């Protein structure tokens, strides 16, 4: 049986949270597709426009069990992205199936910086492949 299309796969998401300064609502999501871990952050500007000035977002995937092997817990890091309404990165951040360890606990987070200050770090729920 073939996997469903990626957009139909269940995502494990944090829910939407307001940034500390009220400039944006942020969500973090992680999911498994064809053996690969994928993650993205969603942002909605609360400034009245479609973006937040002087604002960036980064998405990371973390292996919470990396300490067992001495590996780096940050297994994937997106480029720094400007804060526009939508889900980023697009396509989602990926850890290929060869980099996913069965039984390990993974989370993703979206981190938003506004005017040089961290205003949100929103974690997804844990995912254990």
């Amino acid at each position: 049986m073939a996997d469903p299309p990626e957009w139909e796969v269940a995502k494990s998401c944090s829910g939407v949270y307001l940034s500390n300064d009220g400039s944006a609502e942020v969500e973090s999501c992680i999911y498994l597709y064809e053996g690969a871990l994928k993650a993205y952050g969603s942002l909605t500007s609360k400034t009245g426009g479609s973006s937040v000035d002087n604002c960036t977002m980064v998405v990371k995937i973390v292996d919470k069990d990396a300490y067992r092997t001495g590996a780096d817990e940050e297994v994937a890091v997106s480029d720094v992205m400007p804060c526009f309404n939508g889900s980023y990165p697009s396509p989602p951040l990926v850890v290929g199936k060869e980099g996913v360890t069965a039984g390990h606990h993974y989370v993703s987070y979206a981190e938003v910086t506004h005017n040089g200050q961290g205003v949100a770090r929103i974690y997804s729920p844990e995912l254990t492949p």
Side-chain angles (χ1 to χ4, degrees), residues 12-103:
S12 185
C13 296
S14 60
V16 176
Y17 292 90
L18 189 62
S19 62
N20 292 344
D21 66 353
S23 63
E25 290 179 336
V26 184
E27 180 177 46
S28 181
C29 298
I30 191 169
Y31 61 102
L32 200 59
Y33 185 68
E34 296 181 341
L37 277 174
K38 298 192 172 195
Y40 60 90
S42 293
L43 184 136
T44 302
S45 169
K46 302 309 278 181
T47 63
S50 62
S51 66
V52 181
D53 291 338
N54 301 314
C55 180
T56 59
M57 182 169 73
V58 173
V59 174
K60 297 182 181 186
I61 298 175
V62 175
D63 177 352
K64 293 176 69 176
D65 297 302
Y67 67 90
R68 293 182 187 173
T69 62
D72 187 354
E73 71 175 8
E74 289 184 354
V75 294
V77 179
S78 73
D79 290 335
V80 175
M81 302 161 284
C83 294
F84 292 110
N85 286 344
S87 297
Y88 302 97
S90 181
L93 187 61
V94 176
V95 175
K97 59 185 172 182
E98 67 283 346
V100 177
T101 304

Side-chain angles (χ1 to χ4, degrees), residues 87-123:
S87 297
Y88 302 97
S90 181
L93 187 61
V94 176
V95 175
K97 59 185 172 182
E98 67 283 346
V100 177
T101 304
H104 278 214
H105 300 84
Y106 293 90
V107 296
S108 65
Y109 67 85
E111 187 168 48
V112 177
T113 302
H114 185 212
N115 293 324
Q117 301 294 314
V119 296
R121 181 182 280 186
I122 307 301
Y123 286 86

